[in-house]
């Protein structure tokens, strides 16, 4: 049943701007770094060893990708839920023989999958930029994948939260404002907040220097928020 | 015209607009209270720089988008455009009123931030006299620098039915600020960086793109404002509702 | 109540109640729909029709009372019930950027019915030619028909249509009406159709329920409602008082008001024999006239909305 719901969800976003956003996010991030490297080539590239070049590039891409992910998840969640809000289509879907739980899970999964696509695109795009800049030597695929997926997993509480808020509120002003505030808070959370603050997790910074702690915490809390959102959605009357 | 303002006011009065206006000043207040130093040669201007970095680099441009999307939301849901344009008002009036409302909300945000800054200053016991001239030019400058952003966001908000779509445009154009403001070459010509360039006190904290003559700044601001506003207005005048 | 074994109850509510913000909008409604009915659910705007229908579809939860559809409790067997129910609530919901076919496909994927069903329902509502156009550009009538097509997609046993003719022009109303009338014959479906106008459903409904201020104040066959609407016959005669006595003494149900004799619910035979009797006794009969109340005025009287505008 979940597969059927997802296939229906993907059909509904056909020809929608969401796809443009999903692609524009990673492309924009890498393109900006391309300009950055182009303008400051001498400072960033000249005379450095290959490994440093790659790790520098990955770090620079992550620096922009994190806020893009944090605000992008709010936008994508709002757009996927907006399809139903705009045309008052919740009553259509929920009067069909599907569980409300599954409808909620469908919206969450759609949002999460679209963001996963965005994060995945970062990898080939970063590699392409590195090669275009003339970096040679072994491409550090491990680091590339880690930097694409760990922050994504650690941001899971926010994906679940935004999916919940966007689905539950017809007016998207509040969910999107919360998303924007979240992005800005997370950007400045790194050095200032204690480790337990979720806004810090996507940066994978913690006292034990173990990124997997942030990832685990993110996935766990993400699950909790998801279940809470689902419980609320199931109980609510449909407008 | 006055009546249209009142009708717009009715529409937003009961919404979350107050929360939006307060959000950035409140976060800036937290920053100011915890991070502002008491000492230093220019405590007021240092506090201003600290509090307005976040505000002017990201919040202000992004909020401009939220405000614009919000005042078009009522018209997009429930066929409000039709009802509004069927009244004896010209489209130009409608568009101008909407634009002015966005700018008023931005003014309210700026004013609230200024009040918060003063409160933080008193709370931390700054002994220097308040540098009114610098503060006024910073807050007013930041507000004026939002003109082109508000014009473009109103354009896309009128064009897209979805609430998130104009904001996506907004985010895509605002995020580069993080890189652009460090660049003396690109920064001065990038409209979305202008609020930051206008708000950060000059001379004391000048680096990267911040040292630039007012003429460039306002040339870029007013130039891009004219382009965006005319484009949006022309689109709206022809839009089928 | 003419209830026989073959008239199985498809839908039944028991003391169904919904409060919104403390105010009861649906009060203790007991509703019964039988297999094959076209049930007209009538009431003025704001009487609680849509709220009731939302509860029937499991979109809103009752504050009190219960709903049984196909003999199953909606709270416990929602999915099993909805699998055999098609619905159109208030105005049609659709995804404007998708074509009619794609809209139906989005629902079809959830229902898991064969793809061929899309063409079938499109042809039932006569949208085959417009199937490849984005729904955004459809007229209201076409959107309404697409909504009905969506409701029919799962080959339902019960079709719930909330104000399907709302906002349509007379031609559009006629079209939807013909479409709905043709359904029970073609697909054997039971239909619940709501409206705020009796005239809109009277030509197709077999039974009606009338709801007013949240209460179901009438539920019976359309036939019975027509009987109520049937007028009485008034007779103008010479010496009416003695004529009245005479007729009463012969057991005719006559009344006397304003110098006229009145006979309620008189069939042709009764009228004929009354006239014959009077003439035989040398009364002069000046006029025999029928006084009719329209269905609509009875409806308005019942719902207390007469003259409310």
């Amino acid at each position: 049943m979940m597969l059927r719901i997802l296939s229906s969800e993907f059909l509904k976003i056909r020809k929608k701007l969401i796809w443009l956003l999903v692609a524009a996010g990673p492309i924009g991030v890498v393109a900006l770094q391309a300009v950055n490297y182009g303008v400051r080539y001498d400072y960033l590239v000249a005379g450095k060893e290959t490994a440093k070049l790659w790790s520098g590039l990955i770090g620079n891409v992550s620096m922009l990708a994190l806020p893009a992910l944090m605000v992008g998840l709010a936008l994508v969640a709002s757009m996927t839920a907006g399809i139903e809000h705009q045309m008052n289509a919740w009553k259509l879907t929920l009067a069909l023989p599907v569980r409300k739980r599954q409808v909620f899970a469908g919206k969450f999964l759609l949002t999460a999958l679209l963001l996963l696509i965005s994060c995945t695109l970062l990898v080939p795009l970063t590699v392409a930029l590195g090669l275009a800049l003339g970096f040679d030597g072994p491409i550090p695929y491990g680091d590339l994948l880690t930097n694409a997926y760990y922050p994504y997993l650690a941001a899971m509480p926010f994906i679940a939260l935004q999916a919940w808020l966007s689905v539950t509120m017809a007016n998207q002003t509040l969910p999107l404002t919360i998303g924007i505030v979240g992005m800005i808070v997370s950007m400045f959370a790194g050095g200032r907040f204690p480790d337990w603050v979720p806004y810090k997790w996507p940066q994978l910074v913690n006292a034990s220097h173990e990124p997997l702690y942030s990832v685990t915490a993110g996935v766990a809390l993400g699950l909790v928020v998801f279940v809470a959102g689902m419980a609320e959605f199931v109980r609510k009357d449909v407008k | 015209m006055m009546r249209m303002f009142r009708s717009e006011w009715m529409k937003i009065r009961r919404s979350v607009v107050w929360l939006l206006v307060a959000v950035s000043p409140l976060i800036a207040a937290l920053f100011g209270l915890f991070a502002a130093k008491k000492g230093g040669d220019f405590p007021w201007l240092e506090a201003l720089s600290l509090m307005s970095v976040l505000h002017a680099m990201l919040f202000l441009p992004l909020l401009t988008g939220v405000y614009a999307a919000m005042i078009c939301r009522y018209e997009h849901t429930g066929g409000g455009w039709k009802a509004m344009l069927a009244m004896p008002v010209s489209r130009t009036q409608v568009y101008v009123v909407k634009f002015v409302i966005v700018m008023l909300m931005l003014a309210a945000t700026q004013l609230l931030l200024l009040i918060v800054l003063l409160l933080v200053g008193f709370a931390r016991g700054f002994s220097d006299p308040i540098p009114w001239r610098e503060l006024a030019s910073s807050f007013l400058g930041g507000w004026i620098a939002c003109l082109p952003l508000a014009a473009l966001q109103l354009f896309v908000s009128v064009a897209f039915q979805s609430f998130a779509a104009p904001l996506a445009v907004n985010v895509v154009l605002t995020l580069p600020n993080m890189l652009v403001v460090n660049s003396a070459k690109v920064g001065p010509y990038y409209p979305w960086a202008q609020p930051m360039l206008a708000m950060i006190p000059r001379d004391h904290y000048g680096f990267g793109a911040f040292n630039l003559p007012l003429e460039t700044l306002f040339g870029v601001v007013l130039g891009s404002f004219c382009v965006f506003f005319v484009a949006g207005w022309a689109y709206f005048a022809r839009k089928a509702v | 109540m003419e209830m026989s074994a073959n008239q199985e109850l498809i839908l039944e509510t028991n003391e169904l109640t919904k409060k919104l913000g403390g105010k009861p909008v649906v009060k203790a409604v007991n509703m019964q729909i039988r297999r094959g009915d076209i049930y007209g659910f009538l009431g003025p705007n704001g009487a609680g029709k849509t709220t009731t229908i939302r509860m029937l579809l499991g979109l809103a939860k009752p504050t009190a009372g219960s709903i049984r559809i196909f003999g199953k409790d909606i709270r416990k067997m929602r999915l099993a019930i909805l699998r055999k129910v098609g619905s159109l609530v208030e105005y049609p919901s659709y995804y404007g950027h998708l074509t009619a076919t794609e809209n139906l496909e989005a629902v079809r994927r959830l229902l898991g019915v064969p793809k061929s069903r899309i063409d079938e329902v499109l042809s039932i509502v006569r949208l085959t030619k417009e199937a490849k156009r984005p729904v955004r550009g459809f007229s209201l009538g076409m959107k309404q028909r697409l909504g009905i097509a969506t409701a029919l997609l799962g080959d339902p046993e019960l079709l719930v249509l909330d104000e399907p003719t709302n906002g349509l022009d007379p031609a559009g109303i006629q079209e939807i009406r013909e479409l709905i009338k043709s359904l029970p014959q073609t697909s054997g479906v039971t239909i619940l159709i709501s409206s705020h106008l009796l005239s809109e459903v009277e030509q197709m409904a077999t039974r009606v329920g009338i709801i007013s201020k949240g209460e179901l104040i009438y539920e019976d066959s359309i036939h019975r409602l027509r009987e109520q609407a049937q007028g009485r016959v008034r007779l103008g005669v010479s010496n009416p008082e003695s004529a009245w006595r005479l007729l009463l003494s012969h057991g005719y149900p006559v009344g006397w008001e304003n110098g006229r004799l009145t006979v309620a619910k008189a069939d042709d035979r009764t009228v004929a024999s009354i006239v014959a009797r009077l003439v035989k006794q040398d009364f002069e009969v000046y006029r025999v006239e029928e006084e009719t109340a329209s269905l609509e005025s009875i409806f308005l009287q019942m719902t207390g909305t007469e003259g409310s505008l």
Side-chain angles (χ1 to χ4, degrees):
Chain A
M1 194 65 211
M2 264 335 286
L3 277 180
R4 279 202 223 150
I5 290 179
L6 268 182
S7 84
S8 173
E9 290 292 343
F10 273 106
L11 171 65
K12 284 189 246 174
I13 59 167
R14 201 186 268 182
K15 290 182 266 180
K16 275 281 182 186
L17 219 63
I18 297 183
W19 287 109
L20 192 67
L21 183 66
V22 165
I27 291 175
V29 164
V30 174
L32 271 173
Q33 284 306 340
V35 174
N36 187 26
Y37 272 79
V39 172
R40 302 197 291 162
Y41 188 85
D42 292 339
Y43 172 73
L44 288 167
V45 177
K48 292 195 177 168
E49 52 187 291
T50 309
K52 283 255 175 63
L53 284 174
W54 279 110
S55 68
L57 178 63
I58 292 171
N60 278 325
V61 166
S62 295
M63 184 194 85
L64 280 180
L66 269 181
L69 171 67
M70 288 300 285
V71 75
L73 60 88
L75 289 171
V76 171
S78 172
M79 284 173 155
T80 53
I83 293 171
E84 316 293 331
H85 288 307
Q86 259 174 46
M87 291 302 167
N88 285 296
W90 288 112
K91 58 185 165 67
L92 168 70
T93 311
L94 293 171
L96 296 173
V98 286
R99 289 184 198 288
K100 281 177 98 174
R101 238 186 283 145
Q102 291 175 325
V103 173
F104 183 81
K107 282 291 175 201
F108 167 77
L109 276 180
L110 176 67
T111 306
L113 284 175
L114 289 172
L115 291 164
L116 186 66
I117 295 173
S118 290
C119 290
T120 306
L121 281 176
L122 271 181
V123 179
L125 287 169
T126 309
V127 171
L129 176 58
L131 294 177
L133 287 167
F135 299 179
D136 48 10
I139 298 168
Y141 281 111
D143 283 358
L144 279 164
L145 291 173
T146 317
N147 272 281
Y149 295 124
Y150 278 11
Y152 167 78
L153 291 170
M156 210 44 88
F158 303 103
I159 300 178
L161 178 72
Q162 292 297 145
W164 177 9
L165 293 175
S166 290
V167 160
T168 207
M169 295 181 186
N171 184 344
Q172 296 293 300
T173 314
L174 205 57
L176 283 167
T177 307
I178 290 172
I180 288 173
V181 172
M183 168 192 89
I184 293 173
V185 170
S186 79
M187 278 173 60
F188 291 84
R192 293 181 175 86
F193 289 169
D195 281 353
W196 57 263
V197 177
Y199 285 105
K200 199 176 169 179
W201 300 345
Q203 301 186 343
L204 311 174
V205 181
N206 52 48
S208 343
H209 301 287
E210 177 50 73
L212 278 174
Y213 288 167
S214 303
V215 170
T216 314
V219 172
L221 184 63
L223 207 64
V224 171
V225 176
F226 168 70
V227 170
M230 184 150 74
E232 194 258 358
F233 182 73
V234 168
R235 208 167 320 126
K236 229 181 68 154
D237 280 358
V238 185
K239 285 250 172 59
Chain B
M1 262 322 229
M2 212 43 227
R3 264 185 259 154
M4 286 173 66
F5 275 113
R6 265 197 224 132
S7 123
E8 286 296 316
W9 173 244
M10 292 287 296
K11 283 188 237 167
I12 58 171
R13 196 174 51 166
R14 284 176 195 282
S15 64
V16 287
V17 58
W18 303 117
L19 186 82
L20 298 186
V21 167
V23 105
S24 179
L26 284 181
I27 288 181
L30 288 179
F31 257 77
L33 279 177
F34 292 115
K37 282 181 296 222
K38 201 174 164 184
D41 297 335
F42 305 97
W44 286 105
L45 297 185
E46 280 169 25
L48 171 63
S49 318
L50 188 75
M51 288 170 69
S52 61
V53 164
L54 273 180
H55 172 77
M57 182 163 81
L58 295 168
F59 262 122
L60 204 52
L62 291 176
L63 277 177
T64 309
V66 177
Y67 292 157
M70 198 182 66
I71 59 155
C72 291
R73 184 184 116 81
Y74 294 90
E75 269 58 59
H76 282 309
T77 55
W81 289 121
K82 262 182 249 158
M84 195 166 188
L85 295 173
M87 288 190 293
V89 291
S90 78
R91 287 193 177 209
T92 306
Q93 277 177 328
V94 171
Y95 199 75
V96 169
V97 166
K98 293 256 180 218
F99 181 78
V100 171
I101 297 266
V102 174
M103 289 310 293
L104 284 179
M105 290 200 273
L106 286 169
T109 310
Q110 291 291 79
L111 201 62
L112 198 59
L113 185 71
L114 177 60
I115 293 170
V116 162
L117 174 68
L118 295 176
L119 288 177
V120 166
F122 293 135
R124 305 289 309 234
F126 292 171
S127 50
D128 284 32
I130 301 171
W132 287 111
R133 241 178 62 91
E134 284 84 350
L135 290 188
S137 83
S138 163
F139 282 85
L140 202 62
W143 183 64
I144 292 171
C146 285
L147 279 169
L149 282 59
L152 183 78
Q153 285 308 130
L154 189 60
F155 180 9
V156 286
S157 296
V158 163
F160 294 124
Q161 254 202 8
S162 137
F163 193 96
L167 278 186
V169 173
N170 192 213
V171 165
V172 167
L173 291 169
T174 302
L175 276 186
N177 272 0
M178 295 173 60
L179 281 182
V180 163
V181 290
N182 292 324
S183 159
K185 274 188 221 152
V186 189
Y189 303 103
Y190 193 63
W192 282 262
Q194 302 307 318
M196 170 119 179
L197 303 184
M199 275 198 87
I200 300 287
R202 298 144 68 79
D203 304 324
H204 307 294
Y205 268 75
F207 63 91
F210 295 98
N211 292 318
L212 78 149
L214 276 177
E215 297 76 36
T216 320
L217 215 141
F218 283 96
V220 171
V221 167
L222 294 178
S224 53
F225 165 67
C226 290
V227 172
F228 294 153
F229 189 85
V230 169
W233 168 74
Y235 168 81
F236 185 65
R238 250 159 263 176
K239 180 182 165 74
V241 294
Chain C
M1 283 264 145
E2 57 236 281
M3 177 78 108
S4 56
N6 60 353
Q7 282 184 306
E8 165 204 357
L9 277 180
I10 288 265
L11 184 151
E12 184 182 19
T13 71
N14 181 28
E15 301 291 308
L16 186 64
T17 302
K18 177 76 177 178
K19 289 183 181 166
L20 289 176
K23 271 193 210 160
V25 286
V26 174
K27 297 176 206 163
V29 164
N30 294 306
M31 187 178 198
Q32 294 188 327
I33 302 178
R34 300 168 208 162
R35 186 173 291 282
D37 276 350
I38 298 185
Y39 185 100
F41 188 36
L42 295 163
N45 292 327
K49 293 188 301 280
T50 298
T51 309
T52 306
I53 285 176
R54 283 178 186 285
M55 288 192 282
L56 297 181
L57 296 171
L59 291 173
K61 292 191 176 62
T63 313
S66 65
I67 300 165
R68 294 181 78 77
I69 301 178
F70 310 123
K72 294 168 187 145
D73 191 317
I74 186 91
R75 274 170 304 186
K76 290 174 198 136
M77 314 273 288
R78 189 175 146 266
L79 288 197
I81 291 169
L82 290 182
R83 219 160 273 150
K84 298 194 281 179
V85 175
S87 63
L88 169 62
V89 182
E90 277 183 302
Y91 31 83
S93 302
Y94 54 89
Y95 305 102
H97 63 292
L98 300 179
T99 66
T101 309
E102 286 167 339
N103 263 279
L104 290 166
E105 174 64 16
V107 172
R108 188 202 68 83
R109 290 189 184 175
L110 296 179
L111 293 173
V113 294
K115 270 206 157 141
S116 58
R117 193 66 196 141
I118 290 180
D119 293 331
E120 284 171 36
V121 294
L122 278 172
S123 95
I124 292 177
V125 301
R126 293 190 296 280
L127 277 178
T128 309
K129 268 190 231 152
E130 322 290 340
K132 300 280 174 259
R133 269 175 54 194
V135 174
R136 203 175 11 221
F138 276 24
S139 71
L140 189 58
M142 287 159 71
K143 284 174 188 164
Q144 212 69 269
R145 278 187 279 155
L146 176 63
I148 294 175
T150 311
L152 288 171
L153 199 58
D155 201 6
E157 286 178 39
L158 173 65
L159 194 58
V160 178
L161 303 173
D162 186 17
E163 304 260 6
T165 53
N166 218 353
L168 296 185
D169 57 16
I173 293 176
Q174 184 61 30
E175 198 173 13
I176 299 276
R177 196 186 284 157
E178 293 302 321
L179 174 62
I180 291 168
K181 255 164 107 176
S182 71
L183 287 176
Q185 296 137 29
T186 50
S187 53
V189 66
T190 305
I191 299 176
L192 166 66
I193 175 170
S194 82
S195 176
H196 58 280
L197 293 172
L198 175 63
S199 57
E200 223 170 74
V201 299
E202 79 169 278
Q203 293 164 38
M204 51 184 166
T206 55
R207 270 163 62 82
V208 288
I210 297 178
I211 189 169
S212 171
K213 301 188 182 89
E215 287 174 87
L216 193 67
I217 52 173
Y218 179 91
E219 185 181 64
D220 210 329
S221 68
I222 189 91
H223 180 65
R224 282 278 172 81
L225 193 66
R226 283 222 180 85
E227 271 177 8
Q228 289 209 1
Q230 215 164 56
R232 40 185 209 171
V233 170
R234 289 195 301 181
L235 294 114
V237 296
S238 60
N239 200 356
E241 191 175 348
S242 49
W244 176 54
R245 282 171 210 269
L246 172 84
L247 289 172
L248 277 183
S249 69
H250 283 90
Y252 293 106
V254 288
W256 181 37
E257 63 185 50
N258 302 329
R260 295 273 173 96
L261 299 179
T262 60
V263 190
K265 290 185 186 171
D267 55 46
D268 293 352
R269 257 222 190 125
T270 318
V271 175
S273 87
I274 287 175
V275 171
R277 173 84 54 190
L278 288 171
V279 171
K280 214 180 210 172
Q281 303 286 335
D282 286 338
F283 287 97
E284 289 174 18
V285 177
Y286 305 133
R287 41 175 57 82
V288 179
E289 41 187 28
E290 178 133 35
E291 232 184 25
T292 51
S294 70
L295 270 184
E296 204 65 43
S297 71
I298 286 191
F299 171 58
L300 292 177
Q301 258 172 32
M302 279 182 175
T303 55
T305 47
E306 199 166 27
S308 69
L309 288 173

